[in-house]
Amino acid sequence: MTDSPSRPRSAAVWLGILLRQFPELSQELAPSRTAAPSPTGRATRSAPGTAIRLFVSDTIRDITDGVIELEEAVCEKLRTPRPRRGTVEQRLTRLIGLLDRASADPVLAEHIRAEARRMARRCSLALGEAEAPVRVRGRCEHCGSVSLRVFPQREAVLCVNPGCRCGNASCACRTDAGHRHSWARAEWLDPAEAPAAEELGGTR
């Protein structure tokens, strides 16, 4: 996803992504369904699953603190009353409602956009870690690397090559080290690429 030239609109996109994905983080904290038996006969969580849940837990705390701090900073800058207590989702909704006013201050608008993008990327990364990617055949159209990975549950394909850069000067891959190009499954697949399509279908 690339940012639009309009900063407030771009901030709205990132805040919207965060608003949609943040509740999914709590679901990732549920114990793994596949557990290895311990010497006592009891099921225990695997180390990778535990590490993922710790990462998700840290992400929830980071985003929660970040959203609170961002809303308080925006309200202070706009000279509005101190924000009421609320859930992360409620605070995000209120922040989206303040974007029009914030657009009058380019510095503030850019700060909102940058923070919203950072937190949305962190959230997406945590969800991506929880959903194991599957390697697929084919090369990235931008870098030519065999670094395409599919996330079956989200029906999305990502290029995981950290050096990948596209030809779009406004794309976030040129300014954000954490940005990765992604395609929806239907958008990425070409009717002529039957082997890749079969491999994608086999991950379901």
Side-chain angles (χ1 to χ4, degrees):
M1 178 180 297
T2 58
D3 289 335
S4 68
S6 170
R7 296 305 191 189
R9 181 181 179 184
S10 182
V13 170
W14 292 117
L15 289 172
I17 292 173
L18 194 56
L19 181 60
R20 183 178 70 254
Q21 290 188 339
F22 183 79
E24 298 178 22
L25 291 175
S26 297
Q27 300 174 15
E28 299 297 340
L29 291 178
S32 173
R33 294 180 180 179
T34 57
S38 69
T40 61
R42 295 183 179 180
T44 59
R45 299 175 183 174
S46 62
T50 300
I52 288 173
R53 283 190 289 274
L54 286 174
F55 181 65
V56 171
S57 179
D58 288 343
T59 299
I60 291 175
R61 183 168 57 251
D62 174 65
I63 292 177
T64 299
D65 293 344
V67 170
I68 292 174
E69 292 174 2
L70 181 60
E71 186 185 24
E72 290 181 348
V74 171
C75 288
E76 180 179 356
K77 189 69 175 179
L78 296 178
R79 298 183 179 180
T80 61
R82 185 181 179 87
R84 305 183 306 277
R85 291 180 179 272
T87 64
V88 169
E89 291 87 344
Q90 290 171 334
R91 289 178 179 274
L92 287 170
T93 301
R94 295 199 296 253
L95 275 169
I96 292 173
L98 292 172
L99 290 179
D100 284 342
R101 292 184 60 184
S103 65
D105 184 336
V107 175
L108 178 61
E110 170 60 21
H111 176 67
I112 297 172
R113 185 193 68 85
E115 279 298 295
R117 182 178 65 177
R118 179 189 69 79
M119 291 186 287
R121 290 298 182 195
R122 175 76 187 265
C123 186
S124 295
L125 178 61
L127 292 173
E129 288 288 336
E131 180 187 356
V134 178
R135 184 174 182 175
V136 295
R137 292 189 293 272
R139 293 181 179 273
C140 173
E141 64 184 58
H142 299 302
C143 66
S145 174
V146 286
S147 54
L148 296 174
R149 301 292 184 273
V150 63
F151 291 82
Q153 295 178 13
R154 287 185 282 167
E155 294 278 332
V157 178
L158 277 71
C159 176
V160 297
N161 176 14
C164 181
R165 300 291 184 272
C166 72
N168 185 352
S170 63
C171 182
C173 73
R174 296 178 175 272
T175 58
D176 183 357
H179 179 80
R180 295 292 182 270
H181 292 285
S182 64
W183 300 262
R185 174 175 173 170
E187 178 184 14
W188 181 76
L189 288 178
D190 186 290
E193 296 178 350
E198 292 174 359
E199 190 163 347
L200 273 169
T203 62
R204 298 296 291 172

